[in-house]
Amino acid sequence: MPADTTERLLRGLYSAVLVVLAPITVYHLIWRGFRQSAYLLRWDERYGIYRTPPLTAPVWVHAVSVGEVNAAAPLINALLTRDPARRLLVTTITPTGSERVRALWGDRVEHVYLPYDLSGAVRRFLRHFRPQIGLIVETELWPNLLFCCRDAGVPTVIVNARLSARSLRGYRVLRPLVARALRTVRRVATQSADDGKRFVKLGALRDAVIDTGNLKFDITPDEAKIARLVADFRGYAGARPVWIAASTHPEEEAAVVGIHRRLRTRWPDLLLIWAPRHPERFRSAMQLGVDAGWRVATRALTTWPDAGDDVFVLDTLGELGLFFACADVAFVGGSLQDIGGHNLLEPAAVGTPVVTGPHLQNFTDIAKQLGRADALRIGADADAVHDHIAALLDDADARHAMAEAGRALVANGRGALARTLALIEPDLPVPDTKTARILRSAPSSN
């Protein structure tokens, strides 16, 4: 849809506000930098300024942070397999997302931070990397980004798209502008039919919205790697009950301590694996365990917990999916605090029963599916979460039934990857088969 007078007016007002607020971004980066030093680095990328020669990255994938990078991993792996001769560009916003990109693909992909939604910065970004298609993961609806892609002739597709009822309400003020930006998008590949309805309400063209399913179902655990890690973990920690508190937020930390304390009155040797959502909370989780009188080990400092440890803080990135398999029961955070929940499929995929709090608006469809399959227990508050965990620790048969139900649900839900690839295929660059043959025939440097 070409620009018209109304669009130019709305976009001009939006851009003017962003320019006025631009100095705040500097204070934001400094403030975040006090908690996570990586925010003090690579500022030029956040304003679309690059010190290297222009690059050509035909396929560009934007995934805001760790969760979105993990969700996009099956798609990115498939694209790399499809065309190993071409380099992909993967952008994130957070340093943890950046670290996850490097951990998964190293130098096989280009990576920079996505610039702020300033028209000049976005145009410089597009000129520097010259993508032929942009794949935007989940819910990154930046108006100038979408308009600039249209103006530059870059087709965009929102993949694994989700939009909660709360997010839909949050766009009320900007809806006239966001609706127009959404109409520039070639396709919106949604996680569920309900997500699709909300995107249409927000302004997406009905014919452009297609329910392809959730890419998280297509994340296939590395069974051999998991088996080795579980064997090593149990070799150090011993054969005792273990629960994991994953992706917890600050207001949930006291609840985690309280639940563990209560559980240990019945299981004195119970071990808690604690994986806070954000790296800046790793030290706090460790200190909370020490303050509670427990012996605390961490992945970064001690590698493994031993038989005398009471808490094991998972203070590394990218390993949570593996450590779910070490636990008898998993609590997934962001659900006691009103965050909206986090990935419930990750523990289910490795056969760990899942318990969560009531705030699941970001994962409504997945929670319903897991609930219908009897693979999820939802507690109304911290006391109820404790009761569910205690009941499962006390009932091996119930744990086994939930584990099998969760695995089966994940296996049966796969297919979003194939549907997404089919949807974007017409806009993907033709594979560079000649260069790929040269790369395959080149002698190894090892």
Side-chain angles (χ1 to χ4, degrees):
M1 186 180 73
D4 59 16
T5 302
T6 303
E7 178 194 308
R8 286 192 286 269
L9 176 62
L10 291 171
R11 190 174 168 187
L13 290 171
Y14 170 74
S15 296
V17 171
L18 290 186
V19 169
V20 170
L21 296 178
I24 296 177
T25 63
V26 175
Y27 293 111
H28 171 76
L29 291 171
I30 294 172
W31 176 71
R32 292 300 300 266
F34 284 125
R35 297 190 296 169
Q36 193 175 350
S37 61
Y39 275 99
L40 299 175
L41 306 175
R42 298 165 59 188
W43 283 13
D44 49 358
E45 296 174 14
R46 296 187 183 275
Y47 297 95
I49 299 169
Y50 307 99
R51 312 297 180 183
T52 57
L55 300 171
T56 297
V59 180
W60 156 47
V61 180
H62 174 59
V64 60
S65 193
V66 174
E68 291 80 7
V69 172
N70 287 339
L75 178 60
I76 294 172
N77 288 334
L79 292 170
L80 289 170
T81 300
R82 176 187 188 272
D83 194 358
R86 296 195 195 275
R87 295 180 69 78
L88 273 70
L89 169 66
V90 182
T91 57
T92 64
I93 288 178
T94 67
T96 52
S98 175
E99 290 180 38
R100 187 60 178 150
V101 169
R102 287 299 174 219
L104 287 173
W105 299 292
D107 293 333
R108 294 181 67 199
V109 302
E110 301 290 341
H111 173 269
V112 294
Y113 291 127
L114 186 74
Y116 290 118
D117 202 36
L118 301 162
S119 292
V122 173
R123 284 195 291 266
R124 288 192 295 272
F125 165 78
L126 294 173
R127 284 197 303 267
H128 188 83
F129 292 102
R130 295 174 290 210
Q132 294 179 35
I133 183 173
L135 306 176
I136 299 172
V137 182
E138 297 200 356
T139 320
E140 284 289 279
L141 305 180
W142 295 106
N144 278 333
L145 179 68
L146 297 177
F147 286 129
C148 286
C149 284
R150 178 204 59 194
D151 297 343
V154 179
T156 54
V157 180
I158 304 176
V159 299
N160 213 46
R162 66 179 175 91
L163 186 66
S164 67
R166 174 186 288 183
S167 295
L168 178 61
R169 291 192 298 271
Y171 280 112
R172 280 178 298 191
V173 174
L174 289 176
R175 187 185 183 283
L177 180 64
V178 173
R180 288 174 173 272
L182 266 177
R183 291 179 197 134
T184 71
V185 172
R186 186 69 58 91
R187 294 283 186 272
V188 181
T190 63
Q191 296 183 15
S192 70
D194 287 341
D195 288 305
K197 292 175 183 176
R198 287 189 282 268
F199 269 100
V200 171
K201 285 184 180 179
L202 187 55
L205 297 173
R206 188 178 300 275
D207 291 343
V209 177
I210 300 173
D211 177 10
T212 52
N214 195 326
L215 286 172
K216 289 185 173 75
F217 282 100
D218 286 275
I219 298 173
T220 305
D222 186 334
E223 298 292 348
K225 187 175 183 179
I226 288 173
R228 290 193 298 270
L229 184 134
V230 171
D232 288 341
F233 177 87
R234 286 296 180 178
Y236 286 92
R240 53 181 171 139
V242 178
W243 73 289
I244 184 169
S247 299
T248 58
H249 288 257
E251 292 179 23
E252 296 174 314
E253 291 172 351
V256 170
V257 171
I259 290 169
H260 192 50
R261 179 179 286 113
R262 291 177 64 189
L263 291 172
R264 282 174 59 84
T265 61
R266 183 166 180 181
W267 294 277
D269 61 343
L270 179 69
L271 175 65
L272 163 64
I273 302 173
W274 195 348
R277 179 67 176 177
H278 298 113
E280 58 264 30
R281 303 303 301 175
F282 292 161
R283 186 181 297 274
S284 297
M286 181 179 177
Q287 189 60 51
L288 285 168
V290 171
D291 292 345
W294 297 320
R295 182 169 154 178
V296 179
T298 81
R299 177 67 166 161
L301 292 176
T302 63
T303 307
W304 303 105
D306 65 29
D309 291 323
D310 307 309
V311 177
F312 181 57
V313 176
L314 190 58
D315 55 348
T316 55
L317 297 174
E319 294 190 303
L320 178 57
L322 300 172
F323 275 91
F324 274 126
C326 296
D328 299 296
V329 182
F331 164 71
V332 179
S335 57
L336 282 175
Q337 186 175 342
D338 191 8
I339 298 296
H342 292 298
N343 189 353
L344 302 171
L345 292 177
E346 209 168 16
V350 297
T352 302
V354 187
V355 177
T356 185
H359 300 290
L360 298 170
Q361 57 268 25
N362 292 335
F363 292 86
T364 302
D365 184 65
I366 289 176
K368 287 179 180 177
Q369 292 183 58
L370 287 167
R372 286 194 296 265
D374 293 325
L376 175 68
R377 296 191 181 184
I378 301 173
D381 53 27
D383 287 337
V385 167
H386 162 270
D387 293 344
H388 284 311
I389 295 172
L392 287 168
L393 288 174
D394 199 37
D395 191 339
D397 290 339
R399 293 200 306 273
H400 178 74
M402 286 185 70
E404 292 301 307
R407 285 182 185 271
L409 179 73
V410 173
N412 293 334
R414 294 190 176 112
L417 175 60
R419 291 187 287 271
T420 301
L421 286 169
L423 190 69
I424 66 176
E425 178 67 32
D427 293 312
L428 288 175
V430 176
D432 187 352
T433 54
K434 181 179 179 180
T435 305
R437 285 195 299 270
I438 294 172
L439 289 174
R440 284 195 293 268
S441 62
S444 173
S445 60
N446 295 329

